[in-house]
Amino acid sequence: MSCEVIILAAGMGKRMHSSLPKVLHQVAGKPMLFHVIETACSLNASKVHVVVGHGGEIVKEYCKKLPQDIQNLLTFHTQEKQLGTAHAVSCVLNYLNQDSKCLVLYGDTPLVNKELLEPLLDLGESSLKLLTVIMQNPFGYGRIIRDEEQNILRIVEEKDANPQEKAIHEINSGIIATSSKILKQYLPKIQNLNAQQEYYLTDLTELVVKAGLKVSAQVTYDEKRTAGVNNKIQLSEIENTYRTLQAQKLMEEGVTLIDPKRFDLRGTLTHGQDCIIDVNVILEGEVELGNNVTIGAGCIIKNCKIGDNSIISPYTIMEDSTLKVHNTIGPFARLRPGNVLEDEVHIGNFVEVKKSHIGLGTKAGHLSYLGDSEIGKDVNIGAGTITCNYDGANKHKTIIGDDVFVGSDTQLVAPVEVKEGATIGAGSTVTREIPAHALMVSRARPRILEGYERPRKEKK
Ligand code: UD1
Ligand code: CA
């Protein structure tokens, strides 16, 4: 039987106190909704229905950032007024297959994963299966009411619960598995006679029980993965959970994290052996480390590939760049998008590199800007070298051949080429092609005026 997933994402999230729709608030650098959509796709769903409402247009627009194959599975349904979770699901009813398995997920419960959901989808004899959680502090959640034989009877919301019910520690995660038939038959029967005057999806349980059908629960103690986000405190807790889980997994795989509490992965990290990551490092997007890569404190690295035996020294920021093996970068280096650094390249402190290809063994140790450049191997870029790549309208290329020596404080006015083996004297402005093995110096001749008295302040 095919499985259709329904994700509820229409609520406004009053308790977030934000103009951004709740489900777009980010966990690990990604909207909560994206986590849920990706989980839905990992279950091989045939369709993913997303119910949007509050800020729906913004949510839909944002989803265009998802990979195309995921977008192809999505259909959006608008819930004009947010009248409750049952009302939200009813917006999808007419679009569900006649006979499919249905899984309802909440856009504000981002960490629930495949491992928790797969057993839930195994309905067996049950018409409805709930994912319930035994929680230390159940405050705010719907409670699961069972009879003496432990059969599930109904769910009662915090706001409607009496003190005995509030003492129950088994809560409703909100996530249910059922069939389109059950939803089509019983959802229209749900009423809004409760404290919030909302149509509660949780009331489906009692209706199905009363019809004599079997309702069961998949019970978990994993309160971290099933936690929902209603406010910024819970958002930070979820972020914390995510960070801890990621860090644990990486350490189990052999990555050394100097302090797992001070490490953030906002995306995915693949790695070889013996990688060491110091404190306060943030990795974003897709980062790939080879063997024996060391990342110093405070580095921010996004979508980069870093080859074996490379050392990224503290406070380096790099994005969309590929570094081959034995590179040494930083401290305080900045690699903007589009760089390829061959083996044994050294980029030192306060060097900014953009859209450049840098050859084997080339060094730029201090205070430089290398943009739109193609630099050969064994080149020495002196301190303060600047590629003047921008004329106010267009960007131009600087080409530097192998074994060139660029003296300190050189400006390379692009488009310009320095041929192999050439030497540029310190303080030069290069405006035209320099032939191979030539020496070029453009430096004003010094004038020396002996015995010069500079004006001085009178002492009071
Ligand atoms: C809900 C459950 C509660 C459960 C908790 C788990 C109900 C009535 N209550 O409470 O039993 O313990 O989740 O986190 O279901 N939404 C819509 N349209 C609406 C209302 C909500 O799409 O009209 C969406 C929200 O965007 C959110 C989800 O449904 O993603 C849950 O809504 P929320 O208001 O946060 O429900 P809770 O009060 O947390
Ligand atoms: Ca919620």
Side-chain angles (χ1 to χ4, degrees):
M1 209 196 277
S2 72
C3 168
E4 296 185 73
V5 179
I6 302 163
I7 302 176
L8 304 191
M12 87 153 148
K14 226 186 270 165
R15 293 163 276 181
M16 296 297 272
H17 300 286
S18 166
S19 58
L20 192 70
K22 175 159 80 169
V23 295
L24 291 186
H25 285 267
Q26 301 201 340
V27 171
K30 196 158 70 177
M32 291 196 274
L33 179 62
F34 283 19
H35 288 267
V36 181
I37 289 175
E38 282 167 12
T39 304
C41 293
S42 76
L43 296 163
N44 294 323
S46 60
K47 261 189 188 169
V48 178
H49 302 273
V50 184
V51 182
V52 297
H54 185 84
E57 289 309 312
I58 308 171
V59 174
K60 279 197 254 180
E61 196 54 38
Y62 217 94
C63 286
K64 291 186 180 149
K65 293 184 181 172
L66 284 163
Q68 196 57 49
D69 57 328
I70 291 186
Q71 280 190 53
N72 292 344
L73 287 173
L74 302 180
T75 1
F76 292 95
H77 306 266
T78 305
Q79 183 193 21
E80 296 292 351
K81 273 195 181 149
Q82 283 72 62
L83 302 178
T85 43
H87 180 255
V89 176
S90 69
C91 298
V92 184
L93 278 189
N94 290 336
Y95 304 90
L96 295 173
N97 283 339
Q98 275 315 314
D99 196 6
S100 62
K101 210 180 259 190
C102 292
L103 175 71
V104 179
L105 300 177
Y106 285 6
D108 69 352
T109 308
L111 298 189
V112 65
N113 62 0
K114 197 175 160 180
E115 286 66 35
L116 284 166
L117 296 174
E118 263 176 346
L120 187 72
L121 282 167
D122 184 9
L123 281 168
E125 301 284 290
S126 304
S127 295
L128 173 66
K129 211 163 161 186
L130 318 172
L131 180 64
T132 71
V133 193
I134 311 296
M135 264 195 189
Q136 290 275 11
N137 173 14
F139 178 79
Y141 290 92
R143 309 296 205 284
I144 308 296
I145 313 295
R146 293 176 183 259
D147 65 14
E148 287 99 61
E149 274 99 59
Q150 293 304 306
N151 298 307
I152 293 171
L153 295 179
R154 57 195 170 89
I155 302 173
V156 58
E157 289 303 294
E158 172 84 33
K159 287 190 175 129
D160 303 298
N162 62 35
Q164 279 142 312
E165 291 165 335
K166 280 185 184 158
I168 295 170
H169 283 260
E170 185 183 9
I171 67 97
N172 172 35
S173 70
I175 292 162
I176 59 169
T178 182
S179 65
S180 55
K181 277 189 174 160
I182 293 285
L183 290 177
K184 283 174 198 267
Q185 192 175 350
Y186 294 99
L187 264 193
K189 299 197 163 85
I190 292 177
Q191 294 182 308
N192 64 348
L193 309 170
N194 51 55
Q196 303 189 83
Q197 296 186 329
E198 281 186 7
Y199 296 89
Y200 289 166
L201 181 60
T202 45
D203 286 352
L204 182 67
T205 300
E206 191 174 10
L207 285 172
V208 174
V209 168
K210 282 194 167 154
L213 299 168
K214 189 170 172 192
V215 176
S216 62
Q218 163 83 24
V219 187
T220 174
Y221 285 85
D222 196 343
E223 49 181 279
K224 295 217 147 124
R225 282 209 175 268
T226 46
V229 172
N230 296 317
N231 56 40
K232 295 283 170 74
I233 298 168
Q234 290 168 329
L235 184 68
S236 81
E237 284 166 358
I238 289 262
E239 182 78 37
N240 216 331
T241 301
Y242 189 82
R243 177 193 302 128
T244 309
L245 291 169
Q246 298 263 29
Q248 276 166 357
K249 179 170 168 278
L250 289 170
M251 290 188 293
E252 276 163 16
E253 291 167 358
V255 176
T256 302
L257 297 177
I258 302 297
D259 182 358
K261 288 199 182 63
R262 288 183 286 166
F263 164 72
D264 281 86
L265 177 56
R266 300 174 186 166
T268 52
L269 171 65
T270 47
H271 57 85
Q273 283 193 331
D274 299 309
C275 291
I276 301 176
I277 300 179
D278 209 333
V279 300
N280 297 333
V281 168
I282 302 177
L283 304 181
E284 297 176 59
E286 306 215 340
V287 176
E288 207 180 309
L289 307 181
N291 293 314
N292 203 28
V293 173
T294 300
I295 312 232
C299 290
I300 303 177
I301 300 176
K302 184 174 181 181
N303 297 324
C304 288
K305 231 172 129 167
I306 304 173
D308 297 352
N309 304 312
S310 294
I311 299 174
I312 315 297
S313 292
Y315 303 104
T316 290
I317 299 184
M318 44 200 265
E319 186 176 351
D320 289 309
S321 295
T322 299
L323 283 62
K324 304 224 169 138
V325 304
H326 284 286
N327 275 239
T328 53
I329 314 291
F332 298 103
R334 167 121 195 257
L335 268 56
R336 288 167 52 207
N339 301 301
V340 176
L341 277 48
E342 297 295 336
D343 300 352
E344 293 168 45
V345 170
H346 171 61
I347 301 294
N349 30 206
F350 309 109
V351 176
E352 174 181 339
V353 189
K354 184 210 79 171
K355 250 194 193 171
S356 291
H357 183 265
I358 301 187
L360 168 74
T362 287
K363 294 176 173 57
H366 335 260
L367 299 154
S368 290
Y369 173 56
L370 305 171
D372 303 294
S373 64
E374 214 166 279
I375 305 177
K377 55 183 181 185
D378 294 319
V379 173
N380 181 80
I381 303 284
T385 296
I386 302 210
T387 53
C388 311
N389 60 333
Y390 187 50
D391 60 14
N394 300 299
K395 300 277 165 68
H396 301 282
K397 225 169 166 173
T398 300
I399 300 173
I400 299 176
D402 296 345
D403 196 34
V404 164
F405 183 97
V406 179
S408 296
D409 191 24
T410 293
Q411 301 94 53
L412 297 142
V413 183
V416 74
E417 182 169 357
V418 181
K419 299 262 187 187
E420 63 164 279
T423 303
I424 313 291
S428 296
T429 305
V430 183
T431 52
R432 61 178 128 110
E433 186 179 300
I434 309 300
H437 303 286
L439 166 67
M440 182 270 175
V441 209
S442 75
R443 209 181 280 165
R445 264 180 198 288
R447 286 195 299 154
I448 296 171
L449 308 176
E450 305 255 9
Y452 175 68
E453 285 288 337
R454 126 179 126 249
R456 290 186 191 277
K457 271 191 188 158
E458 265 176 51
K459 280 200 179 111
K460 278 177 197 153

